[in-house]
Amino acid sequence: IHNSFLDDLEDIGFGRDYSKLGCAKNIPLTLYRNTRPGYYGRKGTVIIHSMLLRMLGAANPPGDTLSPLGLSHFTESFLARFIAAHLIARDLGCNIKLGHQMMLASGAVSNVLHPYEADQEDDEIDTV
């Protein structure tokens, strides 16, 4: 998963350099597409990000621990993808590499399976 992340950075012209991503205001679209949590869809993205930020925020990591990305960028660009690949591998009873491949392959249809609109009420999201 880490090598895939570094490859994505290289593909968008950042080399394999985290600091360039850390300076970006938003995650580039190409990188974002590969961070979608597969068939969990937008709803999965919201749940995974919310839980990670809540857990990591509570741990209050020192500012330079995740440097140069910071907590939000690190979670959005790498950690959520890592967690989603592990969850998918667990769902499918396969290894993490195949889980990651399935995550990437199912990303395009994910919002059909688990749609989420921020302006609509959603009891599952509200309980997170």
Side-chain angles (χ1 to χ4, degrees):
I1 295 170
H2 184 253
N3 286 333
S4 174
F5 173 64
L6 293 175
D7 291 344
D8 289 345
L9 287 177
E10 200 164 45
D11 289 347
I12 60 175
F14 286 3
R16 294 170 87 78
D17 186 355
Y18 290 86
S19 64
K20 291 182 181 178
L21 180 60
C23 294
K25 199 170 195 172
N26 296 308
I27 291 182
L29 185 59
T30 304
L31 184 59
Y32 168 76
R33 284 188 184 125
N34 289 338
T35 63
R36 295 179 295 193
Y39 57 73
Y40 294 122
R42 282 192 196 127
K43 185 179 283 190
T45 300
V46 171
I47 292 170
I48 290 170
H49 284 207
S50 173
M51 294 306 298
L52 287 172
L53 290 175
R54 198 174 297 162
M55 290 182 333
L56 293 173
N60 198 16
D64 62 344
T65 302
L66 303 173
S67 182
L69 297 182
L71 179 59
S72 181
H73 264 59
F74 176 74
T75 300
E76 189 174 349
S77 62
F78 178 73
L79 192 55
R81 145 193 332 217
F82 181 79
I83 296 298
H86 275 272
L87 291 172
I88 290 170
R90 188 172 181 182
D91 286 349
L92 301 177
C94 63
N95 64 40
I96 185 66
K97 185 174 182 176
L98 184 56
H100 184 247
Q101 291 170 351
M102 292 302 297
M103 181 191 88
L104 295 175
S106 63
V109 298
S110 62
N111 294 328
V112 173
L113 297 172
H114 297 285
Y116 172 72
E117 298 298 330
D119 59 346
Q120 293 179 345
E121 284 192 34
D122 189 319
D123 292 336
E124 289 177 322
I125 296 294
D126 293 339
T127 60
V128 172

